Amino acid sequence: MEVVNSMTADSTATAQQRAMHTPPPSNVVTDNAVGSQSESSEEEEYLDNSVELRGYLSKWTNYIYGWQPRYIVLKDGTLSYYKSESESDFGCRGAISLTKATIKAHESDELRFDVVVNNLNNWCLRAETSEDRMHWVEVLQLYKEDTGSTDTTSLRRHGSTMSLQSNTISLASGGSLKKTQRNLREKVGELETFKDILFGQIETLQRYFDACSEINKSNSTPLDLGDGLKAIDFKGESITFRATTSGVLSTLQHCLEIIAESDESWKRKLEREIDKRRRAEEQNKKFKEEIEKLKRLSYPGPDFEEGPHSTLPEDEFFDAVETGLEKIEEDMQLRFKLKLQSQISQSLVNVPHEAVAEGEEAREEFGTGAEAKTHALWPEIDRVCKEQLHYAREGVGQDGNGWQIFADEGEIKMYKREEEVNGMVMDPLKAYHTVQGVTAREMCHYFFMPEFRNDWETTLEDCTILEKISADTLLFLQTHKRIWPASQRDAQFWSHMRKINDGLEPGATDTWIVCNNSTEYAKQQSKNGKCVRIFLTVILACQTHLPEGYVKGQPLNRDDLTCKITYCSVVNPGGWAPASALRAVYKREYPKFLKRFTGYVIDQCKDKPIMF
């Protein structure tokens, strides 16, 4: 007992010594600490108020208006913007707290940097020079580092008791079932060791008390223990203790067996829960991707604009362009219906445009180029028309350049060759089509005359005649509608309509062509001045075929007319666009364009006199 008391006293003394030397909790602040903390707070407050930056930067607004100048102000940890400096006294148009913001300099644009908060609020900003951008980024980053260090200091001032408790809880909750089972086995082993030690001690005491018992028996007077106590049967107590410890060990072993049996059941439950979580995470990831895709399409930024650095995937680029084209086509169909109703309700005294056009075309010189031969562009016009006519008359298997058919829809057959120049898709196209009820001249008439273009060309926004060289030769500037994420485009080209008198196919009565070719002559810009210039070469070659045995002078109706069409084009888009997306658009739109145009001509001519 003295030994036990001694050990207890030593342990208590040691605990007292440790308590005496334990430092105070970190949340207990001394007077000196209070003073230093107050000085630090004043210094930080002075730093926050002293950091101030203001000036004009370009800010990305939306895909319609693009980059616009805005007056940016950094003050009191907030980045605000105004439309102009004069408006800075009337309230900002938007603000971002820099406490949780990320400042990122753009990788490819040396003038741009972004301020992002939680990937939800993104300001895209551009400076006038790279030095200005560097200055803005350095000041904002410096402010972030200062506020970050202040936050860390404030966190250190909190007490450590909660942290210690949290660590204990996390350690306790982090143990697995296997770890618990292993710990139980270790404790059972420790109990076995204690049992052996106790058994040894009991045997020693048993020998000692057996000796005392023998001495007591040899004495005439029994040993008096006082208070009426009798000598204890240590041997019996020893047997009882052995049985008790064996029972405890047996019970613990049984607990281990039960845990081992339930371990398999818990494993299966855990596997099922892991599988459920995996499926839920996959579904969540899929939803996030869909949300991000909708956000990109709903709130497009400069990173998704057309260009080699665009972050928009090619499939999403194609989806966006396809959606835009479908919307334009729906609007055109509605506009065409309204126009048709308006024409029906018009008075018969109104002179339609085609009557005027037919009057100009009635002259013998029309289609010969006679009136355009004195113009500076005539040598180029004559040369390109002859080259393109020869090109159109060649079959798709004659030049050996690997024409591939990509559309075969009844009478329409379309071929292409895949070609790229400086990374831009410039696939030549050749299409063949046969229609009934119209002549070659009627087909070329509606393709050439500008007053009809808005009726069959869906993407056309504006068509301006820069110069009327002659009745059969015009200089155009065409602006096409913008389809996000592609840039808006325009084209400047001459267009020439000509009758061909040689090289007719057997059974053909006449051949007419319309040739369009880009030119830099009298170069003009579109009204908005922000278009990408398209460069094109296009020919529409048409032949009229009459029934076999037809004798000139016999009456004809439209059922006797057959028009064979060859359409060839080479288009340089003028700016970068994903090759796969661009080819997918061509494959989808070219057949629709040819069917729409020929259907329009048939509908326009069905109730009018035949034009040869």
Side-chain angles (χ1 to χ4, degrees):
M1 294 297 290
E2 292 178 357
V3 174
V4 174
N5 291 334
S6 176
M7 291 175 62
T8 305
D10 292 343
S11 176
T12 306
T14 305
Q16 291 174 350
Q17 291 174 0
R18 288 177 181 171
M20 291 173 63
H21 291 87
T22 301
S26 58
N27 60 344
V28 178
V29 183
T30 63
D31 293 340
N32 294 334
V34 170
S36 62
Q37 181 181 352
S38 176
E39 293 174 2
S40 175
S41 299
E42 291 176 1
E43 182 180 356
E44 290 164 4
E45 185 178 358
Y46 172 77
L47 177 64
D48 291 344
N49 291 333
S50 63
V51 175
E52 184 173 317
L53 190 63
R54 58 181 65 212
Y56 278 96
L57 294 173
S58 294
K59 183 179 182 296
W60 177 261
T61 54
N62 52 56
Y63 81 97
I64 296 176
Y65 297 104
W67 297 96
Q68 296 293 332
R70 294 291 183 262
Y71 188 65
I72 311 296
V73 175
L74 169 63
K75 187 175 182 181
D76 297 332
T78 301
L79 195 67
S80 310
Y81 82 89
Y82 307 82
K83 191 171 183 180
S84 63
E85 185 177 2
S86 60
E87 290 188 3
S88 58
D89 295 331
F90 303 103
C92 67
R93 290 175 174 256
I96 284 182
S97 174
L98 290 183
T99 306
K100 297 182 179 181
T102 303
I103 296 92
K104 299 185 294 186
H106 200 268
E107 295 179 357
S108 57
D109 190 344
E110 62 180 8
L111 302 180
R112 175 182 161 189
F113 65 95
D114 297 349
V115 182
V116 185
V117 178
N118 296 330
N119 291 324
L120 297 175
N121 197 355
N122 187 2
W123 284 16
C124 302
L125 304 171
R126 294 183 91 243
E128 291 186 359
T129 65
S130 56
E131 290 79 10
D132 288 346
R133 182 188 81 161
M134 186 182 303
H135 178 63
W136 275 92
V137 171
E138 285 178 352
V139 172
L140 295 177
Q141 291 285 13
L142 179 62
Y143 184 86
K144 280 288 297 176
E145 292 172 4
D146 291 336
T147 54
S149 61
T150 304
D151 293 341
T152 305
T153 305
S154 64
L155 285 174
R156 290 196 186 114
R157 295 190 183 122
H158 292 290
S160 60
T161 306
M162 183 59 70
S163 301
L164 292 173
Q165 291 175 352
S166 301
N167 290 339
T168 305
I169 292 170
S170 64
L171 286 172
S173 61
S176 64
L177 190 60
K178 290 184 178 179
K179 186 175 180 181
T180 305
Q181 188 175 346
R182 185 172 63 251
N183 292 338
L184 282 172
R185 287 198 181 97
E186 291 175 357
K187 296 302 179 184
V188 170
E190 291 176 6
L191 286 172
E192 291 279 1
T193 304
F194 295 151
K195 182 191 75 171
D196 294 340
I197 294 172
L198 287 172
F199 281 179
Q201 291 174 343
I202 289 173
E203 287 174 357
T204 301
L205 289 172
Q206 185 67 47
R207 287 194 301 271
Y208 171 76
F209 286 115
D210 284 346
C212 291
S213 179
E214 290 298 328
I215 295 172
N216 190 29
K217 287 179 183 180
S218 63
N219 292 333
S220 58
T221 304
L223 185 64
D224 186 8
L225 298 176
D227 296 330
L229 296 176
K230 297 180 179 180
I232 299 172
D233 184 7
F234 282 97
K235 191 170 184 178
E237 293 294 333
S238 173
I239 293 171
T240 303
F241 181 77
R242 287 174 184 268
T244 302
T245 53
S246 297
V248 171
L249 292 173
S250 176
T251 302
L252 289 175
Q253 186 64 38
H254 182 62
C255 290
L256 285 175
E257 292 173 357
I258 292 174
I259 290 174
E261 289 175 0
S262 61
D263 186 36
E264 291 299 323
S265 173
W266 283 109
K267 277 184 180 177
R268 289 192 293 271
K269 290 181 179 179
L270 180 61
E271 289 174 356
R272 287 196 294 269
E273 291 298 323
I274 290 174
D275 187 57
K276 287 181 181 178
R277 179 172 180 176
R278 179 184 56 79
R279 290 198 300 268
E281 287 177 347
E282 290 176 355
Q283 194 71 18
N284 186 40
K285 183 180 179 182
K286 188 182 296 184
F287 287 151
K288 281 185 177 179
E289 290 175 353
E290 291 295 327
I291 290 171
E292 288 298 322
K293 183 177 178 180
L294 289 173
K295 283 170 62 179
R296 285 197 293 269
L297 295 177
S298 302
Y299 307 101
D303 289 330
F304 305 134
E305 291 290 286
E306 174 187 337
H309 302 296
S310 174
T311 60
L312 192 67
E314 291 191 6
D315 57 339
E316 294 185 24
F317 187 99
F318 171 69
D319 290 343
V321 172
E322 186 178 37
T323 302
L325 289 172
E326 288 175 351
K327 182 67 170 63
I328 289 174
E329 191 166 356
E330 290 175 2
D331 292 343
M332 180 184 177
Q333 290 175 354
L334 178 62
R335 189 175 70 248
F336 183 73
K337 288 179 180 178
L338 294 174
K339 182 179 179 181
L340 189 61
Q341 293 174 359
S342 175
Q343 287 177 349
I344 293 173
S345 62
Q346 279 182 349
S347 171
L348 294 177
V349 299
N350 291 336
V351 181
H353 288 294
E354 55 264 31
V356 178
E358 288 172 1
E360 289 185 352
E361 292 182 27
R363 297 199 303 267
E364 292 183 1
E365 295 83 1
F366 186 88
T368 63
E371 297 179 357
K373 289 182 179 179
T374 58
H375 196 273
L377 279 175
W378 177 251
E380 176 187 324
I381 294 171
D382 190 50
R383 174 181 56 81
V384 173
C385 286
K386 290 177 180 177
E387 291 174 354
Q388 289 301 306
L389 179 61
H390 177 74
Y391 176 67
R393 284 174 170 174
E394 287 182 342
V396 290
Q398 294 179 12
D399 53 10
N401 285 331
W403 287 97
Q404 302 173 2
I405 188 167
F406 71 91
D408 188 355
E409 303 178 13
E411 296 292 339
I412 297 179
K413 290 179 173 54
M414 289 194 167
Y415 301 82
K416 68 171 182 178
R417 287 200 309 259
E418 292 190 356
E419 293 182 7
E420 293 186 20
V421 178
N422 297 325
M424 290 187 292
V425 174
M426 294 180 57
D427 296 351
L429 172 82
K430 187 173 286 190
Y432 299 97
H433 191 20
T434 302
V435 296
Q436 304 292 328
V438 295
T439 64
R441 182 168 182 176
E442 289 170 335
M443 191 66 67
C444 291
H445 167 78
Y446 284 98
F447 189 78
F448 173 76
M449 290 299 174
E451 55 264 32
F452 305 117
R453 292 200 175 184
N454 271 321
D455 295 340
W456 54 266
E457 192 161 357
T458 57
T459 62
L460 192 62
E461 182 177 282
D462 183 65
C463 180
T464 303
I465 300 176
L466 299 178
E467 183 179 352
K468 184 176 180 181
I469 300 173
S470 64
D472 55 16
T473 310
L474 302 173
L475 185 62
F476 286 104
L477 175 62
Q478 278 191 177
T479 305
H480 295 269
K481 297 174 183 176
R482 186 182 182 191
I483 304 172
W484 187 89
S487 301
Q488 190 170 18
R489 284 171 162 77
D490 64 6
Q492 179 177 314
F493 60 93
W494 52 257
S495 183
H496 177 60
M497 182 172 171
R498 177 181 295 190
K499 182 177 182 180
I500 306 299
N501 297 313
D502 58 345
L504 296 179
E505 290 184 3
T509 59
D510 62 357
T511 298
W512 284 82
I513 68 168
V514 176
C515 187
N516 299 338
N517 188 65
S518 291
T519 179
E520 296 296 316
Y521 176 82
K523 187 174 181 180
Q524 298 287 331
Q525 295 291 337
S526 296
K527 294 178 181 179
N528 56 24
K530 297 179 181 179
C531 293
V532 176
R533 180 59 53 91
I534 297 173
F535 298 93
L536 56 86
T537 302
V538 174
I539 184 170
L540 178 73
C542 303
Q543 290 186 337
T544 307
H545 287 255
L546 299 177
E548 273 188 54
Y550 171 77
V551 179
K552 190 174 181 179
Q554 287 183 348
L556 286 172
N557 57 44
R558 292 204 171 270
D559 294 334
D560 299 326
L561 304 176
T562 301
C563 182
K564 291 187 176 181
I565 302 168
T566 302
Y567 177 84
C568 305
S569 71
V570 178
V571 178
N572 181 341
W576 182 92
S580 61
L582 200 57
R583 289 188 171 115
V585 171
Y586 286 171
K587 183 176 180 179
R588 176 185 182 275
E589 290 301 314
Y590 269 123
K592 290 174 64 175
F593 149 73
L594 198 54
K595 285 191 287 187
R596 181 172 60 248
F597 169 68
T598 54
Y600 169 79
V601 176
I602 292 171
D603 188 61
Q604 291 294 310
C605 295
K606 61 184 179 182
D607 297 325
K608 295 177 182 176
I610 298 174
M611 183 193 304
F612 282 96

